[in-house]
Amino acid sequence: MNTTPVRIAAFALFSLLTAGCVFIDGEHVKDTDWEVEQRDNRAAISKLEIGMTREAVLDRLGTPNDSEAFTADGEEVRVLFYRTRHTTSDGRTTRDETTPLVFRGDRLVGWGDEVYSDLR
């Protein structure tokens, strides 16, 4: 029995059902998930206040897309990166698609590329 027509039909059906879908690490991600994440992150960041603790920011925004830590002038600096803009549809969030939130001594000192660049 030739199963080729059945396989072709199954593939065609699968293609129609998953058109416009993205799978990351085998998990289905709706096309609009990143748009909602970006919108929510931008809204939350716009309500932040200088001097907030890192814990308070994490409570509001949740887990960052990326982070790093280093010392500057003998003080610990932590940077949390949250996705706020779309650059490339590749299923990954890169730093050019994020807004850095900069903490010195566990207090928010600012956000944005300029604040981050000034400390690096």
Side-chain angles (χ1 to χ4, degrees):
M1 176 176 157
N2 187 356
T3 60
T4 302
V6 173
R7 287 183 182 171
I8 291 172
F11 179 75
L13 179 61
F14 178 78
S15 296
L16 285 173
L17 292 175
T18 60
C21 296
V22 176
F23 289 86
I24 298 175
D25 295 329
E27 185 176 324
H28 177 255
V29 177
K30 294 188 311 190
D31 286 345
T32 58
D33 285 353
W34 60 268
E35 293 172 312
V36 171
E37 177 185 8
Q38 288 178 173
R39 184 190 67 233
D40 291 350
N41 285 345
R42 284 192 306 267
I45 290 169
S46 73
K47 296 174 185 172
L48 296 178
E49 296 179 21
I50 299 298
M52 292 179 74
T53 65
R54 188 165 44 99
E55 183 176 331
V57 171
L58 286 167
D59 285 344
R60 281 196 187 180
L61 283 150
T63 304
N65 295 93
D66 197 4
S67 65
E68 73 176 73
F70 55 91
T71 57
D73 301 323
E75 189 174 23
E76 180 183 76
V77 176
R78 291 195 178 256
V79 185
L80 307 179
F81 297 88
Y82 288 92
R83 183 182 178 120
T84 54
R85 58 191 168 273
H86 177 73
T87 303
T88 307
S89 296
D90 58 3
R92 298 177 336 133
T93 298
T94 54
R95 288 219 175 145
D96 63 333
E97 297 174 315
T98 65
T99 296
L101 280 57
V102 181
F103 298 82
R104 287 185 86 137
D106 208 37
R107 295 285 177 176
L108 183 64
V109 296
W111 55 88
D113 294 328
E114 191 171 320
V115 174
Y116 174 64
S117 295
D118 286 349
L119 286 171
R120 286 310 278 158

